[in-house]
Amino acid sequence: MPILIGMVRTARFTEDDFIEATMALVAEGGPAAATMQAIARQVGAPTGSIYHRFESRAAVLGAAWNAAYASFVGALAPLLHSGRPREAALAILPWSRENARRARFLLLNEPVTLFEDTPPPAPLRQALERLEDEFDAAFRACVGACGEGDLREEALARAKFLIFDAPIAILRPHLMKGGTLPPFAERMIAELHAGMPLA
């Protein structure tokens, strides 16, 4: 019996190709730049091929957001769980350097802006909720450990500022310009933690 060659076709474009293209477009031009046509063009694929993998623009944006956020959580959550808030804040710097596109996509945008027209499909929303719960548990564990169990509003607000808000505010202007992160950023973050300790 003859062997039929070429009957099984390998997909030329993967979900990850479209996700990375979406991040690149949003990172450079904001959410409006990531139309389905533009994403396909960025990949070099026909527009129809993206619809074989994602049912809508909200779906590919949701998948991109979850991928970037999961990477961020993966870098910081272990440090938070081990009660190391300063190291967690500082970890945002190497993560941003090593994941420049994801950093611009994640740290310069908000889900409310990305999904102002249509929310992502339910499975993606549920996946994001799981990531948020995981990150919140790590954050609260860190605050509780550093503040001897103090989870009052002030303690949580102080920790959020020191670990997330201040470092991201320091980085944001440089992320917007797309340049290299400044060498003084690490010193500024360390000085903030020294001058206003978590506990």
Side-chain angles (χ1 to χ4, degrees):
M1 183 177 184
I3 298 173
L4 298 178
I5 298 174
M7 292 295 288
V8 179
R9 295 179 61 187
T10 303
R12 185 177 168 193
F13 306 104
T14 67
E15 285 191 5
D16 285 344
D17 292 331
F18 293 111
I19 287 170
E20 291 299 324
T22 301
M23 289 186 198
L25 288 166
V26 174
E28 294 304 318
T35 65
M36 294 296 262
Q37 293 79 9
I39 295 166
R41 194 181 312 119
Q42 180 88 356
V43 173
T47 301
S49 66
I50 192 172
Y51 286 100
H52 292 305
R53 292 157 184 82
F54 298 97
E55 63 188 70
S56 63
R57 178 175 178 271
V60 69
L61 282 169
W65 183 267
N66 286 1
Y69 192 55
S71 174
F72 187 73
V73 171
L76 271 66
L79 295 167
L80 293 171
H81 271 300
S82 60
R84 298 157 65 193
R86 177 178 174 275
E87 288 80 358
L90 288 169
I92 296 173
L93 294 172
W95 180 83
S96 296
R97 289 191 185 100
E98 294 162 15
N99 302 272
R101 178 181 295 166
R102 291 185 174 203
R104 283 173 57 82
F105 173 76
L106 187 73
L107 303 182
L108 297 181
N109 294 283
E110 297 286 344
V112 68
T113 306
L114 287 176
F115 307 114
E116 61 182 352
D117 297 327
T118 309
L124 289 168
R125 292 201 308 272
Q126 291 159 4
L128 177 56
E129 287 167 6
R130 288 192 294 271
L131 281 169
E132 289 174 337
D133 288 345
E134 176 188 344
F135 208 25
D136 186 60
F139 170 68
R140 287 176 174 272
C142 183
V143 177
C146 295
E148 298 181 355
D150 184 2
L151 293 178
R152 290 176 300 176
E153 185 178 355
E154 181 181 351
L156 293 171
R158 177 189 294 261
K160 182 175 178 291
F161 173 78
L162 285 171
I163 299 170
F164 307 120
D165 296 344
I168 291 171
I170 291 168
L171 296 183
R172 189 167 280 134
H174 307 280
L175 290 173
M176 290 178 72
K177 289 188 293 187
T180 57
L181 300 183
F184 59 77
E186 183 172 351
R187 184 175 69 251
M188 287 181 69
I189 294 169
E191 288 173 353
L192 271 172
H193 280 257
M196 193 170 112
L198 205 62

